[in-house]
């Protein structure tokens, strides 16, 4: 059954998720001012699913149960579904101007569904049935699930088993009749605290010596032995200041990442999806990363839409909107943003069915998509900063603008002085100008830059990971044959 | 006259679809508009897309009359004219 946004928030209160921040335990993390914007952001994925204006994208009929489910919990059944996924992500990016966190789970569902099918085919294991049963629970309860792939990895030059500390990759510590005990950690986990459950997957292809690290499973976020340490974001403590709404740039929404620790967590057999079949670790990684590289062709584009809009407003408020170079910069930003969208749609359109029946994106095009994502948002940010002017980083605080402390010779207050000197075109108030510049700051180098910039670089794999895939999928031999045929080169 | 209403998912609409619908609704109080549901019979179906793709899938709805599609604010008048025709 679909939850409303409010029901989602109430459902989080029922969890006993252990959260630590600034060296302390956070008991009421749902209402914590640093965490709450990220929860509001996930809530949007529930609110939009209830809204007739958006539910065509946000909801879909489940192939598993025949019920209407949130698309974030869906197995893609066609290329149309793959495209709708990208469109939904663009929409959510537009509505939140942030990372809305629910995609990693969706990408994990689709990767695990097809991978478990193929593992079972080879080994006669029961992982696919386990996974299907789990996903039905997810759909029926409308849960948020974190897709947890990235391990701490320690020395990048060493394989998991060769690390000085055995826990630097999540591993099976003990095998029991009724399940496994796992330990280790996952880094950079998007929305982990806001998730009801976690799906844990291996972080890289594995060899035989690393069989204990080839492990995938699901567990509730408040499983015994599990806890999370909140990741800092640029300007995060502004959220703790009173009367700093405008300074936040985006007071309502934000992203979230955390370190998730598995301190000897027991996983019952029915929630295990991979346990030692090491040659399939690479398949899980490749599929999850493929879907996630497609995802960015939607979500980052939606956030880009917000940034382009903010830059256009800043130009207007500055009275510079008619300048040809400003118009041209907005065109360039739009061109870059829509190019990313083209990539997201293209890799979806060229999708194909897996053996298990759900649809997979075109891997080459998804990797090209993500490679562009590692670059274009940076250029869009550069152009936004150009249009915004220096004030986006030098402006006094909201408290100054609100201050009635008299400081001028004629008794002018700090607020009056700020309003006097930061007034611009008559089309806007000083407050409106402040608001839009703070939003640009938030997206370009504040809290939302975690999602819009660095996540664009490293999320779903650093640039080199895509280049390796592009090399593998690029069919250079085929291209050489084409050139030979045209040049008249005979073997 | 009962007219089902189907919005697209709104991934990148070029106008305020909700406002456009409310305008049509206000201008034509004699028509019973309701959000389209499967299993309900409609005299006509109004499909409100956000852009030229106007992509909603509508095969699942039971429509006895016509499917009227719009994807721009400029279409409001045309849709109203068409609905006016149907009322005659
Ligand atoms: C905001 C954000 C959100 C994220 N969300 C999630 C999430 O929800 N779930 C999840 O599982 N992961 C998530 N990630 C993790 C993401 O997938 C990783 O950041 C990415 O895979 C890179 O890993 P790393 O950060 O450890 O970088 P590193 O591995 O330290 O890479 C740094 C640099 O070193 C290079 N390098 C690393 N190892 C080697 C090597 N062996 N040989 C040559 N070069 C090497 C890389 O190419 C890169 O240039 C997120 C990341 C960010 C930034
Ligand atoms: S009609 Fe246009 S805006 Fe609406 S969902 Fe389809 S593509 Fe997106």
């Amino acid at each position: 059954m679909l939850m409303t946004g409010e029901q989602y928030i109430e459902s989080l209160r029922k969890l006993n998720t252990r959260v630590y921040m600034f060296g302390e335990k956070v008991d009421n993390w749902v209402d914590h001012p640093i965490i709450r914007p990220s929860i509001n952001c996930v809530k949007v994925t529930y609110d939009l699913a209830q809204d007739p204006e958006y539910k065509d994208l946000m909801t879909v009929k489940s192939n598993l149960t025949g019920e209407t489910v949130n698309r974030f919990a869906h197995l893609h059944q066609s290329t149309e579904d793959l495209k709708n996924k990208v469109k939904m992500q663009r929409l959510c990016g537009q509505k939140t101007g942030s990372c809305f966190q629910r995609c990693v789970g969706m990408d994990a569902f689709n990767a695990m569904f097809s991978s478990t099918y193929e593992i079972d085919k080879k080994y006669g294991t029961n992982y696919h049935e386990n996974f299907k049963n789990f996903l039905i629970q997810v759909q029926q309860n409308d849960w948020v699930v974190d897709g947890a792939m990235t391990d701490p990895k320690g020395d990048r030059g060493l394989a998991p088993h060769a690390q000085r500390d055995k826990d630097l990759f999540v591993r099976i510590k003990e095998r029991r009749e009724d399940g496994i005990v796992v330990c280790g950690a996952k880094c950079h986990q998007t929305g982990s605290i806001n998730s009801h459950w976690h799906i844990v997957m291996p972080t890289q292809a594995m060899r035989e010596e690393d069989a204990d690290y080839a492990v995938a499973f699901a567990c509730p976020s408040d499983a015994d032995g599990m806890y999370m340490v909140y990741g800092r974001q640029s300007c995060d403590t502004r959220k703790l200041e009173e009367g700093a709404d405008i300074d936040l740039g985006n007071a309502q929404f934000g992203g979230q990442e955390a370190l998730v620790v598995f301190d000897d967590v027991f996983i019952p057999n029915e929630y295990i999806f991979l346990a030692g079949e090491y040659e399939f670790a690479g398949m899980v990684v490749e599929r999850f990363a493929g879907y996630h590289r497609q995802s960015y062709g939607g979500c980052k584009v939606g956030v880009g839409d917000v940034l382009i809009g903010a830059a256009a407003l800043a130009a207007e408020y500055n009275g510079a909107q008619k300048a040809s170079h400003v118009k041209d910069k907005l065109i360039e930003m739009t061109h870059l943003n829509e190019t990313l969208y083209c990539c997201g749609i293209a890799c979806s359109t060229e999708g194909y069915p897996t053996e298990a029946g759900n649809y997979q994106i075109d891997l080459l095009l998804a990797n090209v998509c993500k490679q562009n994502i590692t670059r274009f948002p940076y250029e869009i940010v550069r152009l936004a900063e150009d249009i915004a002017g220096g004030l986006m980083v030098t402006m006094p605080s909201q408290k100054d603008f609100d201050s009635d402390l008299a400081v001028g010779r004629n008794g002018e207050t700090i607020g009056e002085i700020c309003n006097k000197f930061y007034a611009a075109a008559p089309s806007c108030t000083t407050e409106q100008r402040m608001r839009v510049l703070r939003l640009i700051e938030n997206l370009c180098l504040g809290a939302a830059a975690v999602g819009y910039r660095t996540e664009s670089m490293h999320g779903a794999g650093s640039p080199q990971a895509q280049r390796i895939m592009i090399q593998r999928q690029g069919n250079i031999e085929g291209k050489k044959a084409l050139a030979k045929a045209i040049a008249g080169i005979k073997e | 006259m009962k007219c089902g209403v189907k919005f697209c998912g709104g991934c990148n609409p070029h106008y305020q679809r909700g406002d456009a619908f409310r305008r049509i609704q206000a201008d034509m109080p004699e028509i019973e508009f309701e959000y389209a549901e499967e299993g309900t019979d409609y005299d006509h179906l109004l499909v409100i897309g956000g852009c030229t793709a106007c992509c909603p899938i509508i095969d699942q709805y039971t429509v006895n009359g016509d499917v009227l599609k719009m994807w721009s604010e400029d279409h409001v008048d045309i849709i109203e004219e068409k609905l006016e025709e149907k009322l005659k």
Side-chain angles (χ1 to χ4, degrees):
Chain A
M1 212 189 64
L2 291 173
M3 274 198 265
T4 63
E6 287 310 322
Q7 285 168 336
Y8 161 64
I9 290 183
E10 287 317 302
S11 72
L12 292 182
R13 292 189 199 284
K14 294 187 187 123
L15 296 172
N16 291 314
T17 310
R18 261 204 290 164
V19 180
Y20 298 91
M21 190 197 291
F22 299 133
E24 285 172 12
K25 185 158 186 279
V26 184
D27 288 321
N28 179 8
W29 47 267
V30 176
D31 298 311
H32 192 286
I34 289 188
I35 303 178
R36 186 53 184 257
S38 70
I39 296 177
N40 293 341
C41 215
V42 182
K43 178 175 175 281
V44 167
T45 68
Y46 288 89
D47 290 337
L48 291 175
Q50 303 278 338
D51 187 331
E53 282 192 43
Y54 301 105
K55 69 179 184 190
D56 195 56
L57 278 180
M58 298 301 301
T59 62
V60 60
K61 204 163 267 181
S62 162
N63 63 303
L64 297 178
T65 64
E67 301 290 319
T68 297
V69 297
N70 194 298
R71 189 178 292 281
F72 279 104
H74 183 53
L75 295 168
H76 317 300
Q77 296 300 298
S78 59
T79 52
E80 205 56 41
D81 266 354
L82 288 170
K83 281 190 285 181
N84 281 339
K85 168 195 165 185
V86 172
K87 291 181 176 195
M88 169 182 75
Q89 290 169 309
R90 183 173 190 170
L91 166 68
C92 293
Q94 290 174 339
K95 295 291 181 195
T96 59
S98 308
C99 162
F100 38 88
Q101 307 149 52
R102 216 172 160 183
C103 317
V104 272
M106 166 175 55
D107 293 337
F109 300 148
N110 278 279
M112 289 313 304
F113 184 78
S114 60
S115 301
T116 50
Y117 183 90
E118 290 174 48
I119 304 167
D120 285 1
K121 205 170 100 181
K122 175 155 185 199
Y123 286 104
T125 39
N126 201 42
Y127 298 145
H128 190 62
E129 210 47 40
N130 287 352
F131 184 75
K132 243 168 56 182
N133 290 336
F134 168 63
L135 189 57
I136 289 170
Q137 284 184 66
V138 171
Q139 293 185 342
Q140 288 177 338
N141 292 290
D142 204 5
W143 282 332
V144 178
V145 177
D146 174 31
M149 179 164 277
T150 311
D151 290 298
K153 298 184 298 223
D155 182 337
R156 271 52 173 169
L158 297 176
H161 73 277
Q163 298 286 337
R164 265 184 307 176
D165 181 340
K166 296 273 173 264
D167 294 341
L168 289 173
F169 289 74
V170 168
R171 68 188 168 108
I172 303 171
K173 192 172 175 186
E174 191 189 333
R175 288 174 188 269
R176 295 186 193 160
E177 191 106 316
D178 53 347
I180 53 175
V181 176
V182 295
C183 65
K186 293 287 181 185
C187 295
H188 321 290
Q189 289 312 301
T190 296
S192 56
I193 294 156
N194 304 341
S195 300
H196 302 95
W197 278 67
H198 279 58
I199 289 186
V200 172
M201 299 162 285
T203 205
Q204 62 187 47
M206 306 269 174
R207 288 202 295 257
E208 193 172 355
E209 314 85 87
D210 297 318
D212 282 343
Y213 296 89
V215 61
F217 57 86
C219 66
S221 303
D222 57 358
D224 187 29
M226 202 166 156
Y227 55 90
M228 291 151 205
V229 186
Y230 206 82
R232 288 210 75 161
Q233 293 179 333
S234 171
C235 312
D236 52 5
T237 46
R238 283 191 196 180
K239 295 177 194 165
L240 300 175
E241 294 172 21
E242 252 176 59
D245 261 24
I246 298 178
D247 293 350
L248 291 177
N250 183 348
Q252 222 183 327
F253 303 118
Q256 172 194 101
E257 277 77 30
L259 172 72
V260 179
V261 181
F262 299 89
D263 188 6
D264 291 353
V265 176
F266 175 69
I267 310 296
N269 282 332
E270 56 270 33
Y271 291 108
I272 299 175
F273 313 134
L274 174 77
E277 297 79 4
Y278 61 89
E279 73 273 36
F280 283 95
M283 176 189 281
V284 172
V285 175
E286 191 176 288
R287 291 190 181 175
F288 171 77
Y291 284 122
H292 212 44
R293 289 169 195 176
Q294 168 210 27
S295 281
Y296 286 10
C299 70
K300 304 298 178 224
V301 178
V303 178
D305 287 328
V306 176
L307 183 54
I308 295 167
L313 281 173
E316 233 172 85
Y317 294 170
N318 257 346
Q321 76 276 23
K322 291 199 180 123
S324 62
H325 79 96
V326 169
K327 284 186 195 160
D328 192 56
K329 279 165 187 157
L330 290 169
I331 293 168
E332 179 64 8
M333 291 164 86
T334 306
H335 158 70
L336 292 169
N337 206 40
E338 297 298 338
T339 304
L340 298 176
Y341 185 57
C342 292
C343 294
I345 293 295
C347 68
S348 308
T349 308
E350 297 288 283
Y352 60 94
T354 63
E355 284 184 44
N358 63 332
Y359 269 62
Q360 172 81 19
I361 39 68
D362 180 277
L363 264 186
L364 174 62
L365 298 186
N367 277 279
V368 169
C369 176
K370 173 68 212 312
Q371 182 77 183
N372 283 334
I373 301 275
T374 65
R375 299 172 179 172
F376 294 2
Y378 285 82
E379 181 61 9
I380 293 172
V381 159
R382 190 182 75 78
L383 293 167
E385 291 192 15
D386 179 347
I387 292 172
L391 197 53
M392 61 172 269
V393 291
T394 63
M395 194 168 38
S397 69
Q398 182 178 349
K399 275 197 181 128
D400 291 309
F401 280 85
D402 293 344
S403 168
D404 51 13
L405 182 68
V407 289
R409 285 189 193 281
N410 299 313
E412 299 92 339
T413 63
I414 297 181
E416 283 164 349
I417 292 298
C418 287
N419 277 295
K420 171 182 163 75
F421 288 113
Y422 292 121
S427 62
C428 69
T429 62
T430 317
E431 184 188 314
Q432 286 168 333
R433 188 175 185 220
M434 234 170 106
R435 282 187 180 276
V436 85
L437 291 176
R438 284 294 180 209
L439 172 59
I440 295 175
E441 180 199 31
N442 168 264
L443 286 161
C444 296
L445 45 85
V450 174
Y452 191 56
R453 288 179 54 142
T454 316
E455 191 175 29
S456 292
M457 179 65 76
H458 288 293
S462 310
Q464 188 57 20
Q466 291 108 58
R467 299 189 82 79
I468 291 168
M469 289 304 291
I470 291 170
Q471 182 191 21
R472 260 195 236 156
Q473 306 270 325
N475 189 17
I476 290 292
E477 288 311 312
K479 291 178 169 65
K480 284 193 326 205
L482 292 175
K484 277 184 181 170
I486 289 177
I489 301 169
K490 301 206 166 63
E491 293 300 331
Chain B
M1 186 169 93
K2 190 152 134 183
C3 183
V5 178
K6 174 70 180 171
F7 281 101
C8 72
C11 70
N12 195 20
H14 292 207
Y15 67 105
Q16 294 293 337
R17 296 163 306 143
D19 289 352
F21 169 54
R22 282 183 284 278
R23 237 177 84 196
I24 297 172
Q25 210 177 11
D27 290 346
M28 317 210 74
E30 58 279 54
I31 299 179
E32 192 190 332
F33 290 102
E34 69 178 50
Y35 297 127
E37 294 284 349
E38 278 180 62
T40 306
D41 275 24
Y42 297 104
D43 297 316
H44 305 287
L45 183 72
L46 172 61
V47 183
I48 308 177
C51 70
T52 48
C54 199
C55 64
I57 293 168
I58 49 170
D59 304 344
Q60 66 275 36
Y61 302 118
T62 317
V63 187
N64 300 319
D66 289 339
V67 173
L68 307 174
K69 289 191 176 184
M70 62 180 287
W71 54 85
S72 150
E73 211 162 1
D74 298 341
H75 293 170
V76 169
D77 293 342
I78 304 168
I79 293 287
E80 287 187 0
E81 272 168 34
K82 285 188 179 163
L83 287 170
E84 208 65 76
E85 277 293 306
K86 311 236 169 273
L87 282 172
K88 282 181 190 160

mmCIF file of all heavy atoms in Angstrom, chain A residues 56-57 84 87 341, chain B residues 8-14 17 48-56 71, ligand 2:
data_model
loop_
_atom_site.group_PDB
_atom_site.id
_atom_site.type_symbol
_atom_site.label_atom_id
_atom_site.label_comp_id
_atom_site.label_asym_id
_atom_site.label_seq_id
_atom_site.Cartn_x
_atom_site.Cartn_y
_atom_site.Cartn_z
ATOM 1 N N ASP A 56 1.252 9.674 -12.632
ATOM 2 C CA ASP A 56 1.519 8.892 -13.839
ATOM 3 C C ASP A 56 2.990 8.468 -13.916
ATOM 4 O O ASP A 56 3.317 7.410 -14.430
ATOM 5 C CB ASP A 56 1.144 9.701 -15.082
ATOM 6 C CG ASP A 56 1.060 8.809 -16.314
ATOM 7 O OD1 ASP A 56 0.295 7.835 -16.272
ATOM 8 O OD2 ASP A 56 1.760 9.079 -17.304
ATOM 9 N N LEU A 57 3.868 9.327 -13.413
ATOM 10 C CA LEU A 57 5.283 8.961 -13.388
ATOM 11 C C LEU A 57 5.659 8.249 -12.096
ATOM 12 O O LEU A 57 6.498 7.348 -12.086
ATOM 13 C CB LEU A 57 6.171 10.215 -13.495
ATOM 14 C CG LEU A 57 6.426 10.794 -14.869
ATOM 15 C CD1 LEU A 57 7.318 12.015 -14.763
ATOM 16 C CD2 LEU A 57 7.064 9.758 -15.793
ATOM 17 N N ASN A 84 10.618 6.263 -18.032
ATOM 18 C CA ASN A 84 9.816 6.900 -16.989
ATOM 19 C C ASN A 84 10.585 7.042 -15.689
ATOM 20 O O ASN A 84 10.363 7.967 -14.912
ATOM 21 C CB ASN A 84 8.520 6.117 -16.759
ATOM 22 C CG ASN A 84 7.501 6.439 -17.833
ATOM 23 O OD1 ASN A 84 7.581 7.475 -18.482
ATOM 24 N ND2 ASN A 84 6.547 5.553 -18.040
ATOM 25 N N LYS A 87 12.557 10.158 -16.116
ATOM 26 C CA LYS A 87 11.666 11.325 -16.047
ATOM 27 C C LYS A 87 11.244 11.589 -14.605
ATOM 28 O O LYS A 87 11.176 12.733 -14.157
ATOM 29 C CB LYS A 87 10.429 11.094 -16.921
ATOM 30 C CG LYS A 87 10.740 11.091 -18.401
ATOM 31 C CD LYS A 87 9.484 10.885 -19.224
ATOM 32 C CE LYS A 87 9.801 10.981 -20.708
ATOM 33 N NZ LYS A 87 8.611 11.150 -21.524
ATOM 34 N N TYR A 341 20.287 14.853 -20.109
ATOM 35 C CA TYR A 341 18.974 14.200 -20.183
ATOM 36 C C TYR A 341 18.916 13.261 -21.394
ATOM 37 O O TYR A 341 18.416 12.139 -21.300
ATOM 38 C CB TYR A 341 17.898 15.280 -20.255
ATOM 39 C CG TYR A 341 16.484 14.759 -20.219
ATOM 40 C CD1 TYR A 341 16.029 13.967 -19.166
ATOM 41 C CD2 TYR A 341 15.579 15.074 -21.228
ATOM 42 C CE1 TYR A 341 14.720 13.506 -19.133
ATOM 43 C CE2 TYR A 341 14.269 14.627 -21.188
ATOM 44 C CZ TYR A 341 13.846 13.833 -20.144
ATOM 45 O OH TYR A 341 12.549 13.388 -20.105
ATOM 46 N N CYS B 8 -0.237 13.873 -17.328
ATOM 47 C CA CYS B 8 1.035 13.184 -17.531
ATOM 48 C C CYS B 8 1.773 13.229 -16.199
ATOM 49 O O CYS B 8 1.313 13.870 -15.254
ATOM 50 C CB CYS B 8 1.862 13.886 -18.602
ATOM 51 S SG CYS B 8 2.538 15.474 -18.053
ATOM 52 N N GLY B 9 2.925 12.569 -16.142
ATOM 53 C CA GLY B 9 3.661 12.530 -14.877
ATOM 54 C C GLY B 9 4.360 13.829 -14.527
ATOM 55 O O GLY B 9 4.850 13.998 -13.416
ATOM 56 N N GLY B 10 4.447 14.756 -15.479
ATOM 57 C CA GLY B 10 5.005 16.080 -15.162
ATOM 58 C C GLY B 10 6.505 16.119 -14.991
ATOM 59 O O GLY B 10 7.024 16.803 -14.115
ATOM 60 N N CYS B 11 7.270 15.412 -15.858
ATOM 61 C CA CYS B 11 8.724 15.393 -15.661
ATOM 62 C C CYS B 11 9.348 16.734 -16.005
ATOM 63 O O CYS B 11 10.370 17.096 -15.454
ATOM 64 C CB CYS B 11 9.365 14.276 -16.474
ATOM 65 S SG CYS B 11 9.348 14.568 -18.232
ATOM 66 N N ASN B 12 8.763 17.467 -16.922
ATOM 67 C CA ASN B 12 9.350 18.755 -17.299
ATOM 68 C C ASN B 12 8.303 19.602 -18.000
ATOM 69 O O ASN B 12 8.498 20.021 -19.139
ATOM 70 C CB ASN B 12 10.551 18.511 -18.224
ATOM 71 C CG ASN B 12 11.408 19.738 -18.365
ATOM 72 O OD1 ASN B 12 11.346 20.637 -17.523
ATOM 73 N ND2 ASN B 12 12.190 19.800 -19.417
ATOM 74 N N PRO B 13 7.171 19.843 -17.356
ATOM 75 C CA PRO B 13 6.068 20.510 -18.049
ATOM 76 C C PRO B 13 6.401 21.952 -18.420
ATOM 77 O O PRO B 13 7.099 22.629 -17.672
ATOM 78 C CB PRO B 13 4.919 20.459 -17.035
ATOM 79 C CG PRO B 13 5.560 20.206 -15.723
ATOM 80 C CD PRO B 13 6.847 19.505 -15.967
ATOM 81 N N HIS B 14 5.899 22.379 -19.541
ATOM 82 C CA HIS B 14 6.210 23.724 -20.024
ATOM 83 C C HIS B 14 5.157 24.754 -19.619
ATOM 84 O O HIS B 14 5.203 25.885 -20.053
ATOM 85 C CB HIS B 14 6.381 23.686 -21.546
ATOM 86 C CG HIS B 14 7.610 22.934 -21.965
ATOM 87 N ND1 HIS B 14 8.288 23.173 -23.118
ATOM 88 C CD2 HIS B 14 8.287 21.934 -21.352
ATOM 89 C CE1 HIS B 14 9.335 22.357 -23.207
ATOM 90 N NE2 HIS B 14 9.337 21.592 -22.152
ATOM 91 N N ARG B 17 0.132 22.772 -15.550
ATOM 92 C CA ARG B 17 -0.953 21.898 -16.010
ATOM 93 C C ARG B 17 -2.176 21.983 -15.097
ATOM 94 O O ARG B 17 -3.308 21.983 -15.538
ATOM 95 C CB ARG B 17 -0.458 20.444 -16.098
ATOM 96 C CG ARG B 17 0.634 20.242 -17.142
ATOM 97 C CD ARG B 17 1.362 18.933 -16.900
ATOM 98 N NE ARG B 17 1.857 18.897 -15.523
ATOM 99 C CZ ARG B 17 1.893 17.822 -14.753
ATOM 100 N NH1 ARG B 17 1.510 16.666 -15.216
ATOM 101 N NH2 ARG B 17 2.347 17.891 -13.511
ATOM 102 N N ILE B 48 -3.894 15.654 -20.141
ATOM 103 C CA ILE B 48 -3.153 16.911 -19.994
ATOM 104 C C ILE B 48 -1.663 16.610 -19.906
ATOM 105 O O ILE B 48 -1.143 16.207 -18.860
ATOM 106 C CB ILE B 48 -3.638 17.688 -18.748
ATOM 107 C CG1 ILE B 48 -5.172 17.839 -18.804
ATOM 108 C CG2 ILE B 48 -2.950 19.045 -18.654
ATOM 109 C CD1 ILE B 48 -5.776 18.533 -17.603
ATOM 110 N N GLY B 49 -0.978 16.771 -21.025
ATOM 111 C CA GLY B 49 0.459 16.548 -21.073
ATOM 112 C C GLY B 49 1.190 17.851 -20.798
ATOM 113 O O GLY B 49 0.632 18.938 -20.971
ATOM 114 N N GLY B 50 2.446 17.719 -20.383
ATOM 115 C CA GLY B 50 3.227 18.910 -20.062
ATOM 116 C C GLY B 50 4.006 19.433 -21.243
ATOM 117 O O GLY B 50 4.469 20.567 -21.249
ATOM 118 N N CYS B 51 4.191 18.590 -22.258
ATOM 119 C CA CYS B 51 4.963 19.012 -23.422
ATOM 120 C C CYS B 51 4.442 18.252 -24.637
ATOM 121 O O CYS B 51 3.524 17.432 -24.512
ATOM 122 C CB CYS B 51 6.454 18.734 -23.207
ATOM 123 S SG CYS B 51 6.867 16.996 -23.228
ATOM 124 N N THR B 52 5.052 18.471 -25.763
ATOM 125 C CA THR B 52 4.544 17.887 -27.000
ATOM 126 C C THR B 52 4.524 16.355 -26.980
ATOM 127 O O THR B 52 3.758 15.745 -27.713
ATOM 128 C CB THR B 52 5.375 18.349 -28.212
ATOM 129 O OG1 THR B 52 6.746 18.167 -27.861
ATOM 130 C CG2 THR B 52 5.138 19.805 -28.551
ATOM 131 N N ALA B 53 5.344 15.751 -26.123
ATOM 132 C CA ALA B 53 5.341 14.284 -26.057
ATOM 133 C C ALA B 53 3.982 13.766 -25.594
ATOM 134 O O ALA B 53 3.576 12.667 -25.967
ATOM 135 C CB ALA B 53 6.434 13.796 -25.115
ATOM 136 N N CYS B 54 3.315 14.525 -24.801
ATOM 137 C CA CYS B 54 1.998 14.167 -24.224
ATOM 138 C C CYS B 54 1.905 12.647 -24.047
ATOM 139 O O CYS B 54 1.109 11.972 -24.698
ATOM 140 C CB CYS B 54 0.866 14.692 -25.097
ATOM 141 S SG CYS B 54 -0.689 14.769 -24.184
ATOM 142 N N CYS B 55 2.729 12.146 -23.146
ATOM 143 C CA CYS B 55 3.047 10.715 -23.131
ATOM 144 C C CYS B 55 2.181 9.778 -22.293
ATOM 145 O O CYS B 55 2.435 8.576 -22.305
ATOM 146 C CB CYS B 55 4.506 10.558 -22.721
ATOM 147 S SG CYS B 55 4.789 11.139 -21.044
ATOM 148 N N PRO B 56 1.175 10.241 -21.544
ATOM 149 C CA PRO B 56 0.475 9.255 -20.703
ATOM 150 C C PRO B 56 -0.095 8.083 -21.499
ATOM 151 O O PRO B 56 -0.591 8.261 -22.616
ATOM 152 C CB PRO B 56 -0.667 10.053 -20.074
ATOM 153 C CG PRO B 56 -0.265 11.452 -20.155
ATOM 154 C CD PRO B 56 0.600 11.583 -21.373
ATOM 155 N N TRP B 71 -1.285 19.838 -24.649
ATOM 156 C CA TRP B 71 0.094 19.856 -24.140
ATOM 157 C C TRP B 71 0.656 21.276 -24.073
ATOM 158 O O TRP B 71 1.857 21.476 -24.024
ATOM 159 C CB TRP B 71 1.000 18.942 -24.969
ATOM 160 C CG TRP B 71 0.982 19.225 -26.446
ATOM 161 C CD1 TRP B 71 1.727 20.144 -27.115
ATOM 162 C CD2 TRP B 71 0.170 18.571 -27.429
ATOM 163 N NE1 TRP B 71 1.428 20.119 -28.448
ATOM 164 C CE2 TRP B 71 0.487 19.160 -28.676
ATOM 165 C CE3 TRP B 71 -0.779 17.561 -27.380
ATOM 166 C CZ2 TRP B 71 -0.137 18.762 -29.858
ATOM 167 C CZ3 TRP B 71 -1.388 17.164 -28.560
ATOM 168 C CH2 TRP B 71 -1.059 17.768 -29.776
HETATM 169 S S1 LIG C 2 4.091 14.914 -21.389
HETATM 170 FE FE1 LIG C 2 6.102 15.827 -21.351
HETATM 171 S S2 LIG C 2 6.276 16.720 -19.318
HETATM 172 FE FE2 LIG C 2 4.623 15.280 -19.236
HETATM 173 S S3 LIG C 2 5.610 13.404 -18.498
HETATM 174 FE FE3 LIG C 2 5.487 13.317 -20.753
HETATM 175 S S4 LIG C 2 7.445 14.073 -21.383
HETATM 176 FE FE4 LIG C 2 7.200 14.721 -19.248
#
